[in-house]
Amino acid sequence: MNLGNSIKAFRKERKLSQSDLAGMCGITSTYLSLVENGKKEPTIALIKIIAEKLEVPLPILIFSAITDEDIPIEKKELFELIKPSIDS
């Protein structure tokens, strides 16, 4: 799971700088950078705030962070079917 990449992608899609999003969330841009680069794990409370500020439903933010390595072999086919709908 790569939550940092997911946050970064949604942030960029909304044309927000790290500083903009960090300010909206009440954290420093340095901390947000560490989260986006996978060097810090945010709390669930912070993940909820980030999702809210990005205007992304929390389940979508988390689902978009799932990578192929996170999916058991027997569920990959279903995951591949669902993922395009979630991504769009």
Side-chain angles (χ1 to χ4, degrees), residues 31-43:
Y31 185 76
L32 180 58
S33 176
L34 292 171
V35 168
E36 287 186 351
N37 289 303
K39 296 185 185 334
K40 287 282 185 182
E41 287 290 324
T43 63

Side-chain angles (χ1 to χ4, degrees), residues 36-71:
E36 287 186 351
N37 289 303
K39 296 185 185 334
K40 287 282 185 182
E41 287 290 324
T43 63
I44 190 65
L46 179 56
I47 296 168
K48 286 179 183 179
I49 291 168
I50 291 170
E52 188 177 291
K53 299 304 178 184
L54 290 171
E55 298 178 353
V56 175
L58 182 60
I60 299 297
L61 180 64
I62 293 173
F63 188 90
S64 69
I66 296 172
T67 62
D68 281 345
E69 296 82 41
D70 299 322
I71 308 299

